mmCIF file of all heavy atoms in Angstrom:
data_model
loop_
_atom_site.group_PDB
_atom_site.id
_atom_site.type_symbol
_atom_site.label_atom_id
_atom_site.label_comp_id
_atom_site.label_asym_id
_atom_site.label_seq_id
_atom_site.Cartn_x
_atom_site.Cartn_y
_atom_site.Cartn_z
ATOM 1 N N PRO A 32 -7.613 14.791 -6.648
ATOM 2 C CA PRO A 32 -8.530 13.714 -7.059
ATOM 3 C C PRO A 32 -9.894 13.837 -6.380
ATOM 4 O O PRO A 32 -9.985 14.125 -5.184
ATOM 5 C CB PRO A 32 -7.797 12.437 -6.609
ATOM 6 C CG PRO A 32 -6.377 12.847 -6.401
ATOM 7 C CD PRO A 32 -6.422 14.257 -5.961
ATOM 8 N N VAL A 102 13.543 -13.635 -4.917
ATOM 9 C CA VAL A 102 13.320 -14.132 -6.277
ATOM 10 C C VAL A 102 11.836 -14.408 -6.499
ATOM 11 O O VAL A 102 11.274 -14.075 -7.553
ATOM 12 C CB VAL A 102 14.162 -15.403 -6.529
ATOM 13 C CG1 VAL A 102 13.787 -16.039 -7.865
ATOM 14 C CG2 VAL A 102 15.650 -15.076 -6.499
ATOM 15 N N ARG A 117 -0.340 -3.296 -14.069
ATOM 16 C CA ARG A 117 0.311 -2.768 -12.871
ATOM 17 C C ARG A 117 -0.636 -2.817 -11.669
ATOM 18 O O ARG A 117 -0.798 -1.830 -10.933
ATOM 19 C CB ARG A 117 0.783 -1.347 -13.119
ATOM 20 C CG ARG A 117 1.946 -1.241 -14.071
ATOM 21 C CD ARG A 117 2.319 0.188 -14.348
ATOM 22 N NE ARG A 117 2.809 0.862 -13.147
ATOM 23 C CZ ARG A 117 3.073 2.167 -13.106
ATOM 24 N NH1 ARG A 117 2.869 2.919 -14.179
ATOM 25 N NH2 ARG A 117 3.511 2.722 -11.994
ATOM 26 N N THR A 127 1.660 3.653 -3.028
ATOM 27 C CA THR A 127 0.239 3.831 -3.350
ATOM 28 C C THR A 127 -0.617 3.813 -2.094
ATOM 29 O O THR A 127 -1.519 4.644 -1.931
ATOM 30 C CB THR A 127 -0.222 2.729 -4.312
ATOM 31 O OG1 THR A 127 0.500 2.836 -5.554
ATOM 32 C CG2 THR A 127 -1.712 2.825 -4.593
ATOM 33 N N ASP A 141 -9.885 19.170 4.159
ATOM 34 C CA ASP A 141 -10.065 20.268 3.209
ATOM 35 C C ASP A 141 -11.337 20.153 2.380
ATOM 36 O O ASP A 141 -11.736 21.118 1.726
ATOM 37 C CB ASP A 141 -8.871 20.342 2.255
ATOM 38 C CG ASP A 141 -7.599 20.760 2.963
ATOM 39 O OD1 ASP A 141 -7.704 21.229 4.116
ATOM 40 O OD2 ASP A 141 -6.509 20.621 2.380
ATOM 41 N N GLY A 178 7.287 5.106 10.849
ATOM 42 C CA GLY A 178 8.674 4.910 11.244
ATOM 43 C C GLY A 178 8.802 4.126 12.531
ATOM 44 O O GLY A 178 9.682 3.276 12.673
ATOM 45 N N THR A 214 10.533 10.673 5.301
ATOM 46 C CA THR A 214 10.324 10.143 3.952
ATOM 47 C C THR A 214 8.847 9.835 3.696
ATOM 48 O O THR A 214 8.347 10.076 2.595
ATOM 49 C CB THR A 214 11.166 8.871 3.744
ATOM 50 O OG1 THR A 214 10.909 7.936 4.809
ATOM 51 C CG2 THR A 214 12.637 9.189 3.715
ATOM 52 N N SER A 238 6.821 -2.357 -19.410
ATOM 53 C CA SER A 238 6.512 -2.437 -20.836
ATOM 54 C C SER A 238 7.001 -3.737 -21.446
ATOM 55 O O SER A 238 6.414 -4.257 -22.397
ATOM 56 C CB SER A 238 7.124 -1.244 -21.573
ATOM 57 O OG SER A 238 8.528 -1.223 -21.400
ATOM 58 N N ASP A 267 -30.075 14.777 -25.512
ATOM 59 C CA ASP A 267 -30.707 15.305 -26.726
ATOM 60 C C ASP A 267 -30.326 14.475 -27.935
ATOM 61 O O ASP A 267 -31.159 14.178 -28.799
ATOM 62 C CB ASP A 267 -30.284 16.767 -26.941
ATOM 63 C CG ASP A 267 -30.863 17.703 -25.886
ATOM 64 O OD1 ASP A 267 -31.853 17.295 -25.224
ATOM 65 O OD2 ASP A 267 -30.321 18.809 -25.713
ATOM 66 N N VAL A 287 -10.916 11.928 -11.047
ATOM 67 C CA VAL A 287 -10.688 10.955 -9.969
ATOM 68 C C VAL A 287 -9.299 10.329 -10.029
ATOM 69 O O VAL A 287 -8.904 9.622 -9.103
ATOM 70 C CB VAL A 287 -11.744 9.826 -10.006
ATOM 71 C CG1 VAL A 287 -13.144 10.393 -9.878
ATOM 72 C CG2 VAL A 287 -11.607 8.986 -11.270
ATOM 73 N N GLY A 291 -3.593 12.208 -12.371
ATOM 74 C CA GLY A 291 -4.009 13.365 -13.149
ATOM 75 C C GLY A 291 -3.947 13.177 -14.651
ATOM 76 O O GLY A 291 -3.826 14.153 -15.394
ATOM 77 N N LEU A 307 -9.857 3.599 -10.687
ATOM 78 C CA LEU A 307 -10.853 4.539 -10.183
ATOM 79 C C LEU A 307 -11.600 5.215 -11.321
ATOM 80 O O LEU A 307 -12.777 5.578 -11.173
ATOM 81 C CB LEU A 307 -10.172 5.588 -9.295
ATOM 82 C CG LEU A 307 -9.533 5.068 -8.005
ATOM 83 C CD1 LEU A 307 -8.943 6.218 -7.214
ATOM 84 C CD2 LEU A 307 -10.545 4.311 -7.169
ATOM 85 N N ALA A 317 -24.365 4.921 -15.945
ATOM 86 C CA ALA A 317 -25.651 4.601 -15.321
ATOM 87 C C ALA A 317 -26.594 5.792 -15.385
ATOM 88 O O ALA A 317 -27.812 5.629 -15.545
ATOM 89 C CB ALA A 317 -25.421 4.162 -13.870
ATOM 90 N N ALA A 338 -14.353 -4.391 -31.008
ATOM 91 C CA ALA A 338 -14.539 -3.366 -32.032
ATOM 92 C C ALA A 338 -15.105 -3.957 -33.318
ATOM 93 O O ALA A 338 -15.839 -3.291 -34.063
ATOM 94 C CB ALA A 338 -13.217 -2.664 -32.320
ATOM 95 N N ALA A 384 37.792 -26.075 11.482
ATOM 96 C CA ALA A 384 38.923 -25.364 10.873
ATOM 97 C C ALA A 384 40.208 -25.865 11.512
ATOM 98 O O ALA A 384 40.343 -25.877 12.751
ATOM 99 C CB ALA A 384 38.773 -23.857 11.082
ATOM 100 N N TYR A 391 51.200 -29.828 12.879
ATOM 101 C CA TYR A 391 51.122 -31.046 13.698
ATOM 102 C C TYR A 391 52.210 -30.979 14.757
ATOM 103 O O TYR A 391 53.179 -30.210 14.653
ATOM 104 C CB TYR A 391 51.273 -32.313 12.846
ATOM 105 C CG TYR A 391 52.573 -32.391 12.087
ATOM 106 C CD1 TYR A 391 53.721 -32.931 12.684
ATOM 107 C CD2 TYR A 391 52.665 -31.921 10.781
ATOM 108 C CE1 TYR A 391 54.918 -32.982 12.001
ATOM 109 C CE2 TYR A 391 53.855 -31.978 10.083
ATOM 110 C CZ TYR A 391 54.972 -32.503 10.691
ATOM 111 O OH TYR A 391 56.169 -32.558 10.018
ATOM 112 N N THR A 404 39.798 -26.055 15.461
ATOM 113 C CA THR A 404 38.748 -25.231 16.081
ATOM 114 C C THR A 404 37.417 -25.690 15.511
ATOM 115 O O THR A 404 37.214 -25.633 14.290
ATOM 116 C CB THR A 404 38.952 -23.736 15.796
ATOM 117 O OG1 THR A 404 40.192 -23.316 16.371
ATOM 118 C CG2 THR A 404 37.820 -22.918 16.401
ATOM 119 N N MET A 410 20.607 -25.034 16.467
ATOM 120 C CA MET A 410 19.542 -24.186 15.956
ATOM 121 C C MET A 410 18.188 -24.489 16.587
ATOM 122 O O MET A 410 17.147 -24.135 16.040
ATOM 123 C CB MET A 410 19.462 -24.319 14.423
ATOM 124 C CG MET A 410 20.686 -23.734 13.725
ATOM 125 S SD MET A 410 20.584 -23.775 11.923
ATOM 126 C CE MET A 410 20.984 -25.503 11.632
ATOM 127 N N PRO A 448 24.543 -24.458 24.244
ATOM 128 C CA PRO A 448 23.399 -23.654 24.700
ATOM 129 C C PRO A 448 22.344 -23.494 23.605
ATOM 130 O O PRO A 448 22.611 -23.676 22.412
ATOM 131 C CB PRO A 448 24.036 -22.305 25.060
ATOM 132 C CG PRO A 448 25.478 -22.606 25.293
ATOM 133 C CD PRO A 448 25.805 -23.737 24.362
ATOM 134 N N THR A 484 28.353 -33.898 9.664
ATOM 135 C CA THR A 484 29.710 -34.407 9.472
ATOM 136 C C THR A 484 30.512 -33.401 8.662
ATOM 137 O O THR A 484 29.987 -32.790 7.723
ATOM 138 C CB THR A 484 29.688 -35.759 8.740
ATOM 139 O OG1 THR A 484 28.916 -36.689 9.504
ATOM 140 C CG2 THR A 484 31.107 -36.305 8.569
ATOM 141 N N GLU A 486 34.323 -33.113 6.692
ATOM 142 C CA GLU A 486 35.534 -33.792 6.250
ATOM 143 C C GLU A 486 36.757 -32.940 6.604
ATOM 144 O O GLU A 486 36.778 -31.733 6.344
ATOM 145 C CB GLU A 486 35.492 -34.020 4.738
ATOM 146 C CG GLU A 486 34.361 -34.925 4.273
ATOM 147 C CD GLU A 486 34.596 -36.376 4.657
ATOM 148 O OE1 GLU A 486 35.779 -36.748 4.851
ATOM 149 O OE2 GLU A 486 33.612 -37.128 4.785
ATOM 150 N N VAL A 487 37.771 -33.545 7.220
ATOM 151 C CA VAL A 487 38.976 -32.822 7.606
ATOM 152 C C VAL A 487 40.205 -33.658 7.217
ATOM 153 O O VAL A 487 40.090 -34.819 6.822
ATOM 154 C CB VAL A 487 39.000 -32.532 9.128
ATOM 155 C CG1 VAL A 487 37.938 -31.533 9.502
ATOM 156 C CG2 VAL A 487 38.832 -33.806 9.924
#
Side-chain angles (χ1 to χ4, degrees):
V102 172
R117 290 176 65 187
T127 297
D141 292 347
T214 52
S238 59
D267 292 341
V287 302
L307 295 182
Y391 59 87
T404 298
M410 292 184 282
T484 301
E486 297 288 336
V487 292

